[in-house]
Amino acid sequence: FLIVVTIKPNPYPTTVSLPLAAFFMLMVRLMYLGSDPLLTCASVVLGLHEALTPLSIMAGAITLFETMEATSCMPYMMREMKALTAGHPVAELMLIFSFAYMIEGASGFG
C-alpha cells in the first residue's frame, strides 16, 4: 500500500500516507490476525512513546543549531575552524566531521 501511494503519478504526502498505512496495519492485526484488542492498543501506545524519544532529541539538536545561529556563534566557530586548519582541505574535513559529532553529542544523541 505504502509503495503504491507514494510512487503513483499524484502521490500522497507522507503526512497522510504513513498514518494511513499504520491504521491499515492496525486493522489487519485486529481483524485478520485476530489479536487481542487491548494488547494491540498497548502496542500502539508503546510505539508512539518510543517514537517520541528520537523526535525530542532532534528537537534539541534543531534548538541548539538555531540558538547558535541567533547568537552569531556559528560564524565564529566556522572562522575558528578555518584558522585551525590553515587551508588544508583534509584537516578541514576531519575537523568538521568531529564538529558534527560534538553537536550530535551535545544535543543528546551521543
Side-chain angles (χ1 to χ4, degrees), residues 56-69:
S56 66
I57 291 172
M58 284 187 276
I62 291 169
T63 303
L64 178 63
F65 179 76
E66 292 296 328
T67 303
M68 290 172 72
E69 283 287 325

Side-chain angles (χ1 to χ4, degrees), residues 56-65 68 77 98-110:
S56 66
I57 291 172
M58 284 187 276
I62 291 169
T63 303
L64 178 63
F65 179 76
M68 290 172 72
M77 292 181 80
S98 63
F99 176 72
Y101 278 109
M102 189 265 309
I103 295 295
E104 183 179 310
S107 62
F109 279 107

Side-chain angles (χ1 to χ4, degrees), residues 5-91:
V5 298
T6 54
I7 293 182
K8 68 181 190 160
N10 189 11
Y12 289 163
T14 55
T15 55
V16 173
S17 62
L18 290 176
L20 198 58
F23 177 73
F24 284 154
M25 288 309 299
L26 176 69
M27 290 298 114
V28 165
R29 185 169 175 177
L30 285 174
M31 294 178 183
Y32 182 72
L33 298 176
S35 295
D36 180 32
L38 186 61
L39 178 65
T40 304
C41 291
S43 297
V44 169
V45 170
L46 179 64
L48 290 173
H49 182 263
E50 287 180 1
L52 286 177
T53 301
L55 289 175
S56 66
I57 291 172
M58 284 187 276
I62 291 169
T63 303
L64 178 63
F65 179 76
E66 292 296 328
T67 303
M68 290 172 72
E69 283 287 325
T71 59
S72 298
C73 179
M74 189 65 81
Y76 168 76
M77 292 181 80
M78 294 304 288
R79 188 176 61 244
E80 291 299 316
M81 278 192 238
K82 287 186 190 259
L84 281 173
T85 58
H88 297 288
V90 175

